[in-house]
């Protein structure tokens, strides 16, 4: 792997070096082209100055306006040429003194020509005999030629430097493109040979590993099968235990209803009989005894309903939930709504865990949600090829917020749903509030046990 990385780095280095060299060549070529264009502009500047000088001299000698045409044309183009030189020369040379001197000389010579032309227009032929103006003009033009020649030589020097740098880059690039690929190919060949050797060793090791894994896979399969059977037994035990708890709740509810309720009813009847015998006298203790008997009857009914709602066994899930939500609304002030459809499809074994999940969800709403409305809705819903029933408990409270997923209430509801072979979901409701959603298959995970004759008689 190290050799492959080295070969890769060699080729990458070649590409990077070539790219860098290309960028450097382009930069040198741009410098050379810039210097050549500057030389051309300098020669054009010199030609324009000569045209100005020629036009001025022709007008001084002849005094005729047509001789000023080269002078005027050169003046119109001179400004553009000077602007172009100002843009190029400062970027190429750190010393701008030469360019400043050149601008000063051009301005001085233009001022001289304008003054000479004005004197020729004013004095006529007498201006031809002013030797001082001729001498000053010649001096300035000689200095202009010298400055332009110096700048031209500087640009020529830059062209030569760019050519030399280009040649150096080409030589370096040639060496790089020969050396690095050759080293990369050699390293790659060694790496391929080592990989082939490693592949042979790996094939032998894999053959030995397959032989060892064959025995391990058989052991894993056996243990997985045993674990599956154990999990199935645990699940069966949990379902049976839940059914046993519900059966015990049903029995206790019956006992409370029959025993405590009957005792309360008997006390009430005796109190009424005692009241009739004492009439027309009124005895406060008899009234208190009657109230206690009625309270005992109400408590027996409440405890019986909490242990196992009789409506759940007698009339089904919708009736039991309707009665529960009405009582919840009276006790808490919540506005409750029940909307169930297809609940007749639910077997009794699946209706019981749904009722318990709704009870737990409503308890959480009262404790934490600070809601004003509560809605319970259910419908038949197939998941894949499995027919099932979905039930939702939705409130308009403050939402799930920072509720922990492993909170005891959520854990209880989730475990009930999983024991019944279904799924559980908890999250925000559309708009605001909280939504508890549970789905159970219509078939029970275990067949329901046969009810005893005593339970059948009670039901």
């Amino acid at each position: 792997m190290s050799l492959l990385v080295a070969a890769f780095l060699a080729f990458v280095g070649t590409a990077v070096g070539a790219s860098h060299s290309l960028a450097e060549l382009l930069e040198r070529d741009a410098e050379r082209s810039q210097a050549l264009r500057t030389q051309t502009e300098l020669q054009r500047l010199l030609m324009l100055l000569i045209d100005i000088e020629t036009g001025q001299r022709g007008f001084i000698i002849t005094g005729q306006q047509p001789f000023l045409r080269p002078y005027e044309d050169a003046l119109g183009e001179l400004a553009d040429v000077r602007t172009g030189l100002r843009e190029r020369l400062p970027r190429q040379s750190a010393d701008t003194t030469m360019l400043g001197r050149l601008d000063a000389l051009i301005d001085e010579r233009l001022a001289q020509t304008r003054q000479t032309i004005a004197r020729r227009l004013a004095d006529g032929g007498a201006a031809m005999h002013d030797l001082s103006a001729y001498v000053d003009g010649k001096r300035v033009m000689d200095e202009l030629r010298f400055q332009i020649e110096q700048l031209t030589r500087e640009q020529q020097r830059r062209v030569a430097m760019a050519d030399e740098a280009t040649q150096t880059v080409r030589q370096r690039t040639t060496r790089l493109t020969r050396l690095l690929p050759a080293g990369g190919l050699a390293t790659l060949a060694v790496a391929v040979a080592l990989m082939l050797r490693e592949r042979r060793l790996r094939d032998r090791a894999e053959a030995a590993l397959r032989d060892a894994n064959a025995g391990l896979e058989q052991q894993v399969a056996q243990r997985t099968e045993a674990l599956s059977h154990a999990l199935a037994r645990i699940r069966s035990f949990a379902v049976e235990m839940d059914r046993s708890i519900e059966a015990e709740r049903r029995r206790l509810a019956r006992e409370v209803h029959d025993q405590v309720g009957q005792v309360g009813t008997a006390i009430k009847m005796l109190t009424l009989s005692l009241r009739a015998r004492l009439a027309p006298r009124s005895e406060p203790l008899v009234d208190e005894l009657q109230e206690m008997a009625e309270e005992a009857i109400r408590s027996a009914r409440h405890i019986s309903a909490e242990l196992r709602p009789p409506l759940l066994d007698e009339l089904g899930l919708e009736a039991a939930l309707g009665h529960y939500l009405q009582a919840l609304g009276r006790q808490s002030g919540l506005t409750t709504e029940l909307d169930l459809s297809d609940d007749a499809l639910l077997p009794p074994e699946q209706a019981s865990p749904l009722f318990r999940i709704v009870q737990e969800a409503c308890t959480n709403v009262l404790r934490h949600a600070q809601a004003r409305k509560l809605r319970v809705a259910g419908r038949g819903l197939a998941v894949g090829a499995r027919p099932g029933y979905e039930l939702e408990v939705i409130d308009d409270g403050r939402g799930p917020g920072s509720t922990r997923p492993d909170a005891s209430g959520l854990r209880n509801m989730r475990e009930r749903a999983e024991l019944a072979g279904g799924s559980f979901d908890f999250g925000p409701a559309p708009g605001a509030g909280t939504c508890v959603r549970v789905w159970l298959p219509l078939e029970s995970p275990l067949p329901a046990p046969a009810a005893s004759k005593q339970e059948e008689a009670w039901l």
Side-chain angles (χ1 to χ4, degrees), residues 144-207:
L144 280 171
R145 288 188 177 91
F146 176 76
Q147 293 294 333
I148 292 175
E149 183 179 357
Q150 290 295 107
L151 289 173
T152 303
R153 289 178 180 176
E154 177 67 18
Q155 301 311 308
Q156 186 62 37
R157 186 183 67 82
R158 293 184 178 278
V159 171
M161 289 176 59
D163 291 340
E164 183 179 355
T166 299
Q167 185 63 26
T168 302
V169 171
R170 287 177 178 174
Q171 293 175 357
R172 185 177 67 246
T173 304
T174 301
R175 290 193 298 270
L176 181 67
T177 54
R178 289 177 180 176
L179 179 62
L180 286 181
L185 289 175
T187 306
L188 183 62
V190 175
V192 170
L194 292 177
M195 287 178 62
L196 293 176
R197 177 176 175 274
E198 183 181 359
R199 180 59 182 272
R200 290 193 297 271
L201 295 176
R202 186 179 299 176
D203 290 342
R204 287 196 290 268
E206 287 179 354

Side-chain angles (χ1 to χ4, degrees), residues 23-234:
E24 192 172 354
L25 286 174
L26 293 175
E27 183 180 356
R28 296 293 179 266
D29 185 68
E31 292 177 359
R32 187 176 187 277
S33 301
Q34 185 76 0
L36 290 175
R37 284 196 297 269
T38 304
Q39 280 185 317
T40 303
E41 292 293 327
L42 289 171
Q43 294 302 317
R44 181 60 183 165
L45 176 64
L46 181 60
M47 294 300 299
L48 291 175
L49 292 174
I50 292 175
D51 288 344
I52 291 173
E53 186 72 16
T54 302
Q56 173 226 318
R57 287 183 181 180
F59 178 72
I60 291 174
I61 294 173
T62 62
Q64 298 178 7
Q65 289 292 335
F67 283 92
L68 286 177
R69 183 172 298 171
Y71 167 81
E72 294 172 350
D73 294 342
L75 280 180
E77 191 176 350
L78 183 63
D80 295 336
V81 175
R82 293 179 68 183
T83 301
L85 287 175
R86 290 191 193 99
E87 292 176 353
R88 292 190 179 93
L89 286 176
R91 290 200 301 267
Q92 292 187 358
S93 176
D95 187 9
T96 58
T97 304
M98 194 177 299
L99 181 61
R101 177 61 179 165
L102 179 65
D103 285 336
L105 289 173
I106 292 175
D107 293 337
E108 182 180 357
R109 184 54 189 152
L110 291 178
Q112 289 176 350
T113 56
R114 285 192 294 270
Q115 184 178 3
T116 304
I117 292 172
R119 188 179 302 169
R120 180 67 175 84
L121 291 173
D123 299 341
M128 296 175 54
H129 304 291
D130 187 2
L131 295 179
S132 61
Y134 172 77
V135 172
D136 289 341
K138 184 176 183 306
R139 175 185 60 79
V140 173
M141 283 299 297
D142 289 342
E143 290 187 12
L144 280 171
R145 288 188 177 91
F146 176 76
Q147 293 294 333
I148 292 175
E149 183 179 357
Q150 290 295 107
L151 289 173
T152 303
R153 289 178 180 176
E154 177 67 18
Q155 301 311 308
Q156 186 62 37
R157 186 183 67 82
R158 293 184 178 278
V159 171
M161 289 176 59
D163 291 340
E164 183 179 355
T166 299
Q167 185 63 26
T168 302
V169 171
R170 287 177 178 174
Q171 293 175 357
R172 185 177 67 246
T173 304
T174 301
R175 290 193 298 270
L176 181 67
T177 54
R178 289 177 180 176
L179 179 62
L180 286 181
L185 289 175
T187 306
L188 183 62
V190 175
V192 170
L194 292 177
M195 287 178 62
L196 293 176
R197 177 176 175 274
E198 183 181 359
R199 180 59 182 272
R200 290 193 297 271
L201 295 176
R202 186 179 299 176
D203 290 342
R204 287 196 290 268
E206 287 179 354
L209 184 61
R210 282 194 298 270
D211 295 338
N213 285 341
L216 291 177
E217 287 178 358
Q218 186 177 3
Q219 295 180 8
V220 170
Q222 293 173 353
R223 293 183 180 181
T224 301
E225 184 179 0
L227 181 60
S228 299
H229 289 312
L231 291 176
R233 288 194 299 271
I234 292 173

Side-chain angles (χ1 to χ4, degrees), residues 258-326:
D258 292 346
Q259 300 298 328
V260 179
Q262 288 177 8
V263 171
T265 303
I267 294 173
K268 182 178 179 181
M269 297 302 295
L270 290 174
T271 303
L272 292 175
S273 177
L274 182 60
R275 183 190 298 276
R277 290 184 181 185
L278 293 175
R281 289 186 303 160
S282 176
E283 181 62 44
L285 291 177
V286 174
D287 295 337
E288 185 176 352
L289 184 61
Q290 183 178 353
E291 292 178 0
M292 292 179 65
E294 292 176 351
E295 179 64 25
I297 294 172
R298 287 194 297 269
S299 298
R301 290 175 180 173
H302 177 72
I303 294 173
S304 176
E306 287 294 323
L307 287 172
R308 179 72 180 183
L311 292 177
L312 185 61
D313 296 316
E314 296 172 4
L315 300 178
L317 180 64
E318 184 174 11
L321 285 179
H323 182 268
Y324 174 74
L325 292 178
Q326 288 178 4

